[in-house]
Amino acid sequence: QLADVISNWFVSILLLVCIGSYIVWQMLDPTRAFEVALAILVVSCPCALALATPAALTAGSQILVGLGLLTTRSGGLENLARVTDIVFDKTGTLTSGDLNIAHILDKNGLDIIDKNHIDQLINITYNLEKTSNHPIAKAFVKIYHAPSQEQVKLNPKISLHNIEHLLGLGVQAQSGVDTYQLGKLAWFDFKIHAHLLTDYPTISTWIALVKNGEIQALFGLTDQLRSDTRQTLNALKDKFKLHILSGDTPLALDYLLKQLEFNENDITVNSECLPEDKLKYVKALQENGRVVAMLGDGLNDAPVLAQADVSIAMNQGAQLAQTSADMILLADHLSPLLSGLETAKSTRRIIHQNLIWALVYNCIALPVAAMGFIVPWIAALGMSISSLIVIANTLRLRK
């Protein structure tokens, strides 16, 4: 947009200078009037101005793809260069999102060891979650693809209808006269979840199965940090303000910080966030003049991804999140983000250099041509060289 504004003004000024010079030279030396006017038109280089931005953005975007970061919307690369704050979702973003059921407890917090009872619970949760692509849902679905000795026999007698997915909470359905709900503890008024998290600090998420308002079981899910999460965040924390917005409980995020070896000065953490909470948080940052990059992977992240100045969706995440994002992280690790931020800043720097060079060249060349010191063939050479300099400077991005 900046290049367009400059180019429009430049062309208008160029035409005025050309006409004015022609009139002046008609009075001074009519035999040179046309030659001078032609030299002015030729020596001027709107091409360099026009190439300054798109050439750099094209080169920068190509580099990002090679790094594993695909730009899907115009403006994404330029906004990435202005980022001051980076906001992360937790599950599926900082972690792999490959959740596993580690513990199944009853309402008293005791392990359920009856295999038939466990099979019945898993069957209900499977039928509730089989239509969802959320990482939590996959933990219940993939048990049917486990080794044969661990598989749960599918119970065809369980028939669920009116299945409803509630954003940021869970899923509920009817089975005859019974109502089943499966979701995060924040959805229900349970008094024991803090005790559970204290006793099981490695659990990433607790999911409750409720039947007709009565708790049937608690599922403790574990997740693992991505291989380069700690390294990437360590590299980012000195240059950007980092934030985590997660639907998990405070103690689960405390455990995450211990894994990262971070403290509250390194990163701002917000727990038990609903989608609307994440949206308000990012809006508040923007109202304070911050430029926000948001990374997320789930359906819950789509609104906040759309709100962020530049949004990055994980490749393994929900399609709606990817549709709402300016960029997609193609790799299964976070390190392309670090390289992408550096590339974006380099691209912006090259754009500014190109624009400055094009303006300086024209500010020198136009007066010289108007005074009659440049003949048309030299003007053509100068214009070509100016454009080539812009391209050559842009190619430095590849280094």
Side-chain angles (χ1 to χ4, degrees):
Q1 292 173 345
L2 175 63
D4 287 343
V5 171
I6 293 174
S7 296
N8 288 336
W9 278 101
F10 174 77
V11 171
S12 300
I13 293 171
L14 169 64
L15 293 176
L16 290 175
V17 170
C18 182
I19 294 171
S21 298
Y22 180 82
I23 294 173
V24 170
W25 276 96
Q26 279 287 354
M27 294 184 290
L28 296 176
D29 185 355
T31 61
R32 295 201 62 198
F34 177 76
E35 175 189 308
V36 171
L38 180 61
I40 291 172
L41 288 175
V42 173
V43 80
S44 64
C45 198
C47 295
L49 284 172
L51 288 169
T53 299
L57 289 177
T58 300
S61 298
Q62 184 180 15
I63 292 168
L64 288 184
V65 171
L67 294 171
L69 195 58
L70 175 66
T71 302
T72 59
R73 292 187 179 182
S74 61
L77 180 57
E78 292 175 275
N79 287 336
L80 190 64
R82 302 187 299 111
V83 163
T84 59
D85 292 57
I86 305 177
V87 180
F88 296 92
D89 175 45
K90 174 180 171 283
T91 303
T93 304
L94 295 178
T95 65
S96 66
D98 185 20
L99 295 166
N100 293 285
I101 301 172
H103 296 280
I104 303 178
L105 309 180
D106 64 16
K107 62 181 179 181
N108 298 314
L110 301 176
D111 282 297
I112 297 175
I113 58 175
D114 186 331
K115 180 66 166 62
N116 291 331
H117 190 193
I118 290 175
D119 282 2
Q120 182 183 15
L121 294 170
I122 292 293
N123 266 291
I124 295 171
T125 57
Y126 169 81
N127 283 279
L128 283 167
E129 296 282 31
K130 65 182 180 181
T131 58
S132 174
N133 288 324
H134 194 280
I136 289 177
K138 293 177 183 177
F140 293 97
V141 173
K142 71 181 180 182
I143 197 167
Y144 291 97
H145 303 285
S148 57
Q149 65 270 21
E150 300 177 14
Q151 285 182 353
V152 176
K153 293 181 180 179
L154 187 61
N155 185 353
K157 296 181 180 179
I158 298 175
S159 177
L160 299 176
H161 55 278
N162 297 334
I163 298 177
E164 182 181 5
H165 295 272
L166 304 176
L167 198 62
L169 296 175
V171 59
Q172 65 182 20
Q174 299 290 129
S175 178
V177 296
D178 297 321
T179 300
Y180 286 98
Q181 294 169 292
L182 184 71
K184 296 182 178 180
L185 298 183
W187 191 11
F188 314 105
D189 186 22
F190 295 142
K191 305 298 182 183
I192 60 173
H193 67 275
H195 151 72
L196 287 177
L197 287 170
T198 302
D199 289 350
Y200 300 91
T202 61
I203 295 299
S204 172
T205 303
W206 282 100
I207 300 298
L209 175 64
V210 174
K211 177 182 177 182
N212 300 328
E214 293 291 331
I215 183 171
Q216 303 297 303
L218 294 168
F219 298 90
L221 278 60
T222 58
D223 198 1
Q224 300 294 325
L225 285 176
R226 293 184 184 273
S227 59
D228 64 340
T229 296
R230 185 186 296 109
Q231 177 184 355
T232 301
L233 295 189
N234 267 315
L236 292 172
K237 70 179 182 180
D238 296 328
K239 300 178 182 179
F240 305 93
K241 181 66 177 175
L242 304 183
H243 312 259
I244 296 177
L245 303 180
S246 173
D248 288 352
T249 58
L251 287 176
L253 290 176
D254 286 343
Y255 179 69
L256 172 67
L257 291 183
K258 290 179 181 178
Q259 289 180 293
L260 293 173
E261 299 177 358
F262 275 22
N263 57 48
E264 59 185 13
N265 296 322
D266 297 321
I267 192 165
T268 303
V269 175
N270 289 266
S271 58
E272 297 181 340
C273 292
L274 295 174
E276 53 266 32
D277 298 324
K278 296 181 180 181
L279 189 60
K280 290 178 182 177
Y281 188 90
V282 168
K283 284 183 177 179
L285 288 175
Q286 292 171 325
E287 289 170 0
N288 288 325
R290 313 299 290 178
V291 179
V292 180
M294 172 72 197
L295 279 81
D297 78 314
L299 292 172
N300 300 347
D301 300 320
V304 70
L305 286 170
Q307 176 63 35
D309 295 286
V310 57
S311 51
I312 303 172
M314 310 303 290
N315 187 41
Q316 303 89 348
Q319 289 186 356
L320 181 59
Q322 295 181 9
T323 303
S324 304
D326 301 307
M327 297 180 171
I328 298 175
L329 191 65
L330 301 176
D332 59 356
H333 49 274
L334 294 174
S335 56
L337 173 63
L338 186 60
S339 303
L341 287 161
E342 294 296 330
T343 299
K345 289 184 177 181
S346 297
T347 302
R348 182 176 64 172
R349 185 164 57 249
I350 291 292
I351 289 172
H352 290 168
Q353 291 172 356
N354 287 348
L355 289 174
I356 291 171
W357 159 252
L359 289 173
V360 168
Y361 164 81
N362 282 289
C363 287
I364 295 173
L366 286 180
V368 174
M371 288 186 289
F373 295 130
I374 300 178
V375 295
W377 73 267
I378 294 179
L381 185 62
M383 182 270 291
S384 301
I385 291 174
S386 178
S387 296
L388 287 174
I389 288 174
V390 167
I391 296 299
N393 189 47
T394 298
L395 291 176
R396 292 195 305 117
L397 276 172
R398 293 180 175 273
K399 296 182 180 180

